């Protein structure tokens, strides 16, 4: 029944959803674009008219811009590496037949259901607190001086917290990929003389390539905008200011909406570059 | 060299004994077919020989040395799996080269052997394609190529043709037989299809529920089945089994007659019957005849026979070709 009639009817019925989605996206984007070209200081004179690309130039030339880009990349990259590597190991482990498999799997997935703010608070206060944290007690037990995690190893700490949140996602996707690997293929490679490491390198890893790409793609898009974890733990201090945190500071702490909007547009461009880049990799992988 | 000996080999999964004590002698250069109904333990037996499963008890000897504890890669055997088990992300060339690469053979030698195998198997035109871009028959040949280049002492095939259509199956059957002639290497071939077993084997091993029912040359099994199971399993169409008074009259509690050993006539004979379905194949005609006091009997008749649904037909068994079985199903 894919006639002209039914197709235009379908279009008509989809229209509300499409319009809603477009509005949802376009209105904030247009407003951000609009403000990014204006001098707008809510507490110091309000909207003071057009300034051209002034905000864009100032955002980039500010001394905190490049460090924030660097921090963003380090955090995103660090979390990706940790979640993919440990995700693969966990997936291989969980694929082994063992007692209580179902329960263990649910436990592994549990962190994903904890809200970012809550998990950051838990890590900050229960694990990383330099006086009462579990890590501090552990260090003291072995006679070492407790580490002040969030000031001395701030970026690493945030990478750890965020990795903990995203590891279940990576594990879950990779586990389904591991489970879809044909057992006869592994047996064939075993008979062909491949040792366990070679079996992993030549058979398992290529089989996981697509799943890994998908994990990297999806995580990157979400990780570029992590905020709660930084806000709750270091508040952007000790070199943990990411691009999204910098934008937040410009808008709320400096009360400069124009400057923050320009930063927002930069972030949109950055995310799009990453997305296009990754889409092409995924596309290539999906061809095979 | 590819002499394989099984001594009192058993295999249990949990409490289920899938392979009951099995003794078997496979000579160098033989084409041995394991045949039996689905679930009888053919694959398990093959995997025990390959080393992919550990025996529960007993010994496997390869070329006179005990191989029971040797890992699969070191047994000098190559296996072709039912699903082909090709490596999808590698080209045909890399698939075939894989075992050589794992064995650390040098590059030029690998290329020479792969090209040679590709030539023998008519794969040269597809050598740079991925398995996903090949047809079922071509994939099958890649899997065989991957086995050949290792120059194993014996090849193991697990239902290699069951994923192919009928025409291709016929072709591949010939190609594998041809390969066996050329290489003269021991081949162990698992199938549930007795036609494959009859046409390809030097030696057929009939299995049922993890027990060897009979071992022998195809024509031996056809002519002298040791029991009712083998008699019914080997031969197509199936042997007719006759019980009751008609059997007693022929001298045994159970009598088997192959469809080709019944003479059919329109006018006279030993048993009277009515023609049911008749299948005209051109060269032969398969008649299903409802014989009085006996039941449905399959008859293989001449291609030109003029009998149709509902006609009356008379049947006469060739007395010297009968198979007689005692009450326990053993041949007399
Ligand atoms: N890994 C296993 N675990 C438990 N039972 C198995 C396993 N492999 C095979 N079996 C059982 O062993 C029997 C023989 O299987 P198999 O050798 O695959 O039969 P065939 O190849 O003759 O069809 C079947 O009943 C099957 O259920
Ligand atoms: Mg099988």
């Amino acid at each position: 029944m894919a006639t002209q009639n039914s197709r235009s009817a379908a279009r008509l019925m989809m229209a509300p959803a499409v319009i809603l989605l477009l509005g949802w996206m376009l209105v904030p984007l247009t407003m951000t674009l609009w403000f990014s070209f204006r001098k707008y200081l809510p507490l110091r004179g309000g909207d003071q008219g057009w300034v051209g690309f002034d905000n864009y130039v100032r955002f980039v030339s500010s001394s905190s811009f490049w460090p924030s880009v660097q921090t963003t990349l380090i955090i995103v990259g660090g979390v990706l590496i940790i979640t993919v590597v440990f995700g693969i190991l966990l997936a291989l482990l969980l694929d082994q037949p063992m007692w209580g498999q179902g329960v263990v799997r649910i436990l592994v997935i549990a962190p994903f259901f904890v809200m970012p703010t809550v998990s950051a608070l838990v890590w900050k206060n229960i694990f990383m607190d330099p006086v009462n944290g579990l890590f501090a007690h552990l260090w003291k037990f072995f006679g070492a001086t407790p580490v002040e995690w969030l000031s001395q190893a701030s970026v690493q700490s945030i990478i750890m917290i965020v990795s903990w949140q995203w590891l279940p996602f990576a594990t879950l996707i990779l586990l389904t990929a591991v489970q879809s690997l044909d057992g006869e293929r592994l047996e064939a490679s075993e008979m062909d003389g491949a040792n366990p490491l070679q079996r992993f390198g030549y058979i398992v890893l290529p089989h996981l390539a697509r799943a890994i790409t998908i994990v990297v793609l999806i995580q990157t898009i979400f990780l570029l905008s992590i905020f709660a974890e930084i806000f709750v733990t270091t508040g952007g201090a000790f070199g943990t200011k990411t691009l999204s945190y910098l934008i937040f500071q410009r808008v709320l702490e400096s009360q400069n909406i124009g400057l923050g909007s320009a930063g927002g547009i930069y972030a949109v461009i950055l995310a799009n570059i990453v997305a296009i880049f990754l889409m092409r990799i995924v596309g290539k992988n999906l061809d095979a | 060299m590819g002499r394989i000996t099984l001594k009192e080999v058993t295999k249990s999964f949990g409490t289920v004994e899938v392979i009951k004590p099995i003794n078997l002698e496979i000579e160098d250069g033989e084409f041995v077919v394991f045949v039996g109904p689905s679930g009888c333990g053919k694959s398990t037996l093959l995997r025990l020989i390959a080393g992919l499963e550990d025996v529960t008890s007993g010994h496997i000897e390869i070329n006179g040395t005990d191989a029971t504890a040797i890992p699969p890669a070191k047994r000098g055997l190559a296996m072709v799996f039912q699903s082909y088990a090709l490596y999808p992300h590698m080209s045909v060339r890399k698939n075939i080269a894989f075992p050589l690469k794992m064995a650390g053979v040098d590059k030029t030698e690998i290329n020479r052997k792969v090209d040679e195998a590709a030539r023998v198997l008519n794969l040269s035109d597809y050598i740079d394609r991925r398995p996903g871009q090949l047809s079922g028959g071509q994939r099958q040949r890649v899997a065989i190529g991957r086995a050949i280049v290792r120059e194993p002492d014996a090849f193991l095939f697990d239902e290699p043709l069951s994923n192919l259509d009928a025409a291709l199956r016929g072709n591949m059957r010939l190609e594998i037989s041809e390969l066996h002639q050329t290489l003269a290497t021991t081949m162990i071939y698992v199938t549930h299809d007795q036609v494959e077993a009859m046409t390809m084997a030097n030696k057929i091993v009939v299995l049922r529920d993890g027990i060897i029912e009979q071992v022998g040359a195809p024509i031996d099994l056809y002519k002298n089945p040791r029991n009712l199971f083998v008699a019914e399993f080997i031969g197509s169409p199936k042997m007719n089994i006759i019980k009751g008074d008609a059997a007693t009259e022929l001298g045994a509690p159970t009598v088997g007659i192959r469809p080709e050993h019944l003479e059919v006539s329109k006018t006279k004979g030993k048993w009277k019957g009515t023609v049911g379905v008749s299948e005209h194949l051109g060269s032969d005609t398969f008649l299903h005849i409802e014989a009085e006091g006996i039941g449905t009997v399959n008859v293989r008749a001449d291609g030109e026979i003029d009998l149709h649904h509902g006609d009356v037909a008379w049947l006469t068994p060739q007395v010297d070709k009968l198979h007689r079985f005692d009450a326990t199903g053993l041949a007399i």
Side-chain angles (χ1 to χ4, degrees):
Chain A
M1 269 267 295
T3 58
Q4 202 75 30
N5 250 333
S6 66
R7 242 177 286 156
S8 50
R11 235 174 258 154
L12 195 71
M13 287 188 227
M14 280 191 327
V18 173
I19 290 168
L20 187 72
L21 273 176
L22 267 181
W24 203 280
M25 265 173 43
L26 281 182
V27 172
L29 186 64
T30 325
M31 281 175 71
T32 312
L33 259 175
W34 167 271
F35 284 128
S36 72
F37 290 108
R38 298 183 74 89
K39 183 170 180 158
Y40 186 13
L41 308 164
L43 299 182
R44 286 166 283 155
D47 196 343
Q48 294 162 37
W50 297 102
V51 289
F53 281 93
D54 224 26
N55 286 325
Y56 287 90
V57 176
R58 275 185 58 198
F59 192 87
V60 180
S61 54
S62 122
S63 63
S64 10
F65 176 70
W66 287 109
S68 77
V69 171
Q70 200 187 352
T71 310
T72 309
L73 293 182
I74 290 176
I75 292 182
V76 171
V79 173
L80 284 180
I81 291 171
I82 291 178
T83 49
V84 169
V85 170
F86 284 91
I88 291 174
L89 292 178
L90 270 176
L92 291 176
L93 205 67
L94 289 178
D95 187 46
Q96 306 298 317
M98 59 180 166
W99 189 81
Q101 202 166 35
V103 178
V104 173
R105 281 186 191 170
I106 290 173
L107 284 179
V108 167
I109 289 152
F112 202 48
F113 300 120
V114 180
M115 282 178 283
T117 322
V118 175
S119 85
L121 279 172
V122 167
W123 275 89
K124 179 186 180 181
N125 295 320
I126 296 185
F127 289 103
M128 292 175 167
D129 190 282
V131 181
N132 289 316
L134 288 178
F135 287 157
H137 284 297
L138 195 68
W139 258 242
K140 272 184 257 175
F141 180 80
F142 287 108
T145 329
V147 181
E148 288 184 33
W149 289 95
L150 291 169
S151 49
Q152 287 169 350
S154 48
V155 174
Q156 291 90 321
S157 303
I158 288 178
I159 290 178
M160 192 145 83
I161 296 172
V162 179
S163 297
W164 182 79
Q165 280 166 17
W166 283 92
L167 188 55
F169 172 76
T171 307
L172 203 63
I173 303 258
L174 292 167
L175 179 61
T176 55
V178 167
Q179 284 172 333
S180 74
L181 178 58
D182 174 21
E184 284 198 345
R185 207 179 290 159
L186 280 177
E187 288 177 345
S189 65
E190 189 180 349
M191 290 207 67
D192 282 345
N195 63 35
L197 220 63
Q198 287 170 322
R199 287 209 285 281
F200 177 76
Y202 286 109
I203 312 296
V204 179
L205 211 52
H207 177 78
L208 294 181
R210 191 178 302 184
I212 292 174
T213 330
I214 289 168
V215 167
V216 168
L217 172 67
I218 294 178
Q219 285 198 13
T220 305
I221 288 169
F222 282 94
L223 292 179
L224 279 174
S225 62
I226 51 164
F227 177 79
E229 295 83 345
I230 299 170
F231 184 76
V232 169
T233 53
T234 61
F238 311 113
T240 59
K241 205 182 291 170
T242 59
L243 198 53
S244 55
Y245 203 86
L246 184 66
I247 296 165
F248 160 77
Q249 282 191 334
R250 288 288 179 269
V251 173
L252 273 152
E253 289 174 15
S254 325
Q255 288 290 325
N256 189 337
I257 292 195
L259 196 58
S261 299
I265 297 300
Y266 277 124
V268 169
I269 293 168
L270 178 70
N272 272 292
I273 291 174
V274 174
I276 290 169
F277 179 66
L278 288 168
M279 289 290 226
R280 295 180 73 143
I281 301 179
V282 175
K284 216 179 277 166
N285 263 331
L286 296 185
D287 275 348
Chain B
M1 275 290 282
R3 200 155 47 78
I4 298 168
T5 313
L6 306 186
K7 288 185 174 162
E8 297 292 322
V9 169
T10 69
K11 175 69 188 177
S12 305
F13 290 111
T15 56
V16 187
E17 193 170 40
V18 174
I19 301 290
K20 323 247 157 75
I22 276 188
N23 289 291
L24 185 65
E25 192 76 48
I26 296 168
E27 300 298 336
D28 185 32
E30 263 186 331
F31 197 119
V32 177
V33 174
F34 294 169
V35 69
S38 171
C40 69
K42 308 178 294 287
S43 299
T44 307
L45 190 56
L46 196 71
R47 291 165 58 82
L48 287 172
I49 296 174
L52 293 171
E53 304 278 359
D54 293 322
V55 298
T56 304
S57 71
H59 294 278
I60 296 171
E61 286 177 10
I62 300 177
N63 296 328
T65 53
D66 192 343
T68 317
I70 296 178
K74 302 260 160 62
R75 294 192 182 192
L77 309 173
M79 184 145 166
V80 175
F81 291 85
Q82 185 171 3
S83 66
Y84 316 138
L86 299 178
Y87 311 131
H89 53 279
M90 299 183 196
S91 64
V92 169
R93 173 178 290 284
K94 287 200 171 139
N95 262 283
I96 299 179
F98 190 75
L100 299 174
K101 188 171 167 186
M102 291 301 109
V105 178
D106 74 61
K107 273 239 168 67
T108 51
E109 179 70 3
I110 291 183
N111 281 334
R112 195 185 61 73
K113 285 190 171 172
V114 172
D115 287 335
E116 170 67 13
R119 197 186 53 76
V120 171
L121 293 164
N122 283 323
L123 284 169
S124 304
D125 294 343
Y126 315 103
I127 197 89
D128 291 315
R129 294 213 195 154
R130 297 273 180 92
Q133 299 164 302
L134 300 179
S135 70
Q138 290 163 343
R139 285 181 210 182
Q140 182 63 73
R141 284 206 287 267
V142 177
I144 295 175
R146 196 170 61 185
I148 295 181
V149 289
R150 290 179 54 196
E151 294 172 8
D153 289 338
F155 291 93
L156 312 178
F157 295 91
D158 191 356
E159 311 221 10
L161 307 186
S162 57
N163 289 338
L164 303 179
D165 63 57
L168 209 49
R169 202 149 54 212
N171 282 341
M172 285 305 298
R173 216 158 66 200
L174 287 177
E175 284 189 35
I176 293 176
S177 295
E178 192 66 48
L179 197 68
H180 179 245
Q181 296 297 334
T182 334
L183 299 174
T185 310
T186 310
M187 292 190 177
I188 306 178
Y189 187 106
V190 162
T191 179
H192 63 265
D193 179 357
Q194 63 89 28
V195 176
E196 281 178 24
M198 291 298 282
T199 51
M200 302 171 84
N202 299 137
K203 181 151 104 184
I204 295 181
V205 177
V206 182
L207 289 165
R208 176 171 62 160
D209 296 336
I211 293 174
I212 295 184
E213 292 286 349
Q214 191 170 0
V215 179
I219 201 69
D220 254 9
L221 300 195
Y222 176 81
K223 283 194 172 152
N224 305 307
R226 210 168 62 84
N227 56 32
L228 256 176
F229 177 78
V230 177
E232 283 193 275
F233 196 80
I234 299 289
S236 168
K238 261 169 86 164
M239 181 187 277
N240 298 300
I241 302 300
I242 294 167
K243 293 182 169 163
D245 290 346
T248 320
E249 199 182 317
L250 289 166
T254 310
V255 171
I257 312 170
R258 296 207 181 272
E260 49 271 46
H261 298 147
L262 278 164
E263 272 152 26
V264 59
S265 153
K266 284 179 162 183
T267 50
K268 60 178 186 344
K270 192 171 168 59
W271 300 319
K272 185 178 180 225
T274 319
V275 178
V277 176
S278 52
E279 299 168 295
H280 296 272
L281 301 182
S283 57
D284 299 299
T285 304
F286 295 143
L287 300 166
H288 301 260
I289 296 177
E290 190 64 39
E292 284 168 17
I294 294 172
T296 307
V297 177
N298 290 324
V299 181
R300 176 186 217 139
D302 191 53
E304 264 112 62
I305 195 154
D306 187 29
L307 278 173
H308 298 279
H309 200 278
D311 291 355
V312 171
W314 293 85
L315 297 172
T316 314
Q318 299 176 11
V319 178
D320 56 328
K321 297 275 175 57
L322 291 180
H323 299 273
R324 295 184 174 82
F325 301 95
D326 65 18
T328 59
L330 279 177
I332 303 173

